[in-house]
Amino acid sequence: MTDHHYALAVTWVGNRGTGTSGYRDYARNCVLSAEGKPDLLGSADPTFRGDRGRWNPEELLLAALAQCHLLSYLHSAVNHGIVVTGYSDDPVGTMSQVGQGGRFTSVVLRPRVTITDPAQADLAREIHREASENCFIAASVSFRTSRRSWSPADQPASEKVATRSDTVRARSSYDAAVTSTNAVPPTTRTNTLAVKVIRPSSRTGR
């Protein structure tokens, strides 16, 4: 086993002069910084009196899961000889609040992948599970993370989309890792995983 270490600084910049003298007397704004990187402006969810123009912790968690899956997927694609030329995702998450606390109950990733070889469309869908199993962030959370790509109806008519219905169940090592006894019981859902195929002759000059 190899340990990797990470560090950053979080500085609250929301003191309006009287500190936390009252619930409405201070801003939730903060700055996240790390050596050699641009600062990230943070705050709370606007529901909790945060600044909507800054990143909140809930969005950062969602971003971490989506980015980790993206990077794991690209690595799996290389290992399987799949040439990926495009990848986009529009993840959504649900957090349930109970009293003054709360917890995430689910995150759904909705990746769209562009590949060069149409014969590899099925394999390109299948390696999402491998990518999930190798995602460090997904393995570190206790709620269920699943995948659902856009349906063919959401794709422009000019795009060639290969689709197949996949049933996602809590049966792999990845699913077990992100499902705990305290989490909302995972449900069996049928998701449509979409892969767009771009033949080499149709590539742009970029």
Side-chain angles (χ1 to χ4, degrees), residues 132-191:
S132 296
E133 293 171 351
N134 294 332
C135 176
F136 307 138
I137 306 301
S140 302
V141 300
S142 61
F143 54 83
R144 179 169 176 76
T145 304
S146 57
R147 303 170 306 284
R148 182 182 64 214
S149 286
W150 299 98
S151 69
D154 297 320
Q155 304 289 336
S158 60
E159 295 181 355
K160 295 181 181 295
V161 180
T163 63
R164 182 189 65 187
S165 292
D166 286 355
T167 301
V168 179
R169 303 177 186 270
R171 62 188 176 190
S172 70
S173 58
Y174 159 71
D175 289 323
V178 299
T179 304
S180 72
T181 55
N182 295 324
V184 175
T187 57
T188 299
R189 62 178 71 187
T190 300
N191 298 332

Side-chain angles (χ1 to χ4, degrees), residues 93-160:
T94 299
M95 185 186 73
S96 296
Q97 184 179 0
V98 180
Q100 295 189 43
R103 61 185 302 277
F104 267 80
T105 56
S106 69
V107 163
V108 178
L109 306 179
R110 301 182 293 181
R112 291 183 290 182
V113 179
T114 303
I115 63 175
T116 59
D117 186 355
Q120 293 180 311
D122 284 343
L123 180 59
R125 282 187 291 268
E126 291 169 3
I127 64 172
H128 274 293
R129 181 170 295 278
E130 177 182 298
S132 296
E133 293 171 351
N134 294 332
C135 176
F136 307 138
I137 306 301
S140 302
V141 300
S142 61
F143 54 83
R144 179 169 176 76
T145 304
S146 57
R147 303 170 306 284
R148 182 182 64 214
S149 286
W150 299 98
S151 69
D154 297 320
Q155 304 289 336
S158 60
E159 295 181 355
K160 295 181 181 295

Side-chain angles (χ1 to χ4, degrees), residues 13 15 22 27 38 51 77 87 95 122 131 199:
V13 293
N15 186 353
D51 184 341
Y87 184 111
M95 185 186 73
D122 284 343
R199 288 180 167 78

Side-chain angles (χ1 to χ4, degrees), residues 23-24 28-29 42-59 95 97:
Y23 181 71
R24 300 175 184 273
R28 277 63 177 172
N29 296 353
S43 189
D45 183 320
T47 302
F48 310 113
R49 303 191 63 79
D51 184 341
R52 68 176 62 254
R54 292 170 171 250
W55 292 92
N56 61 59
E58 294 79 12
E59 292 170 330
M95 185 186 73
Q97 184 179 0

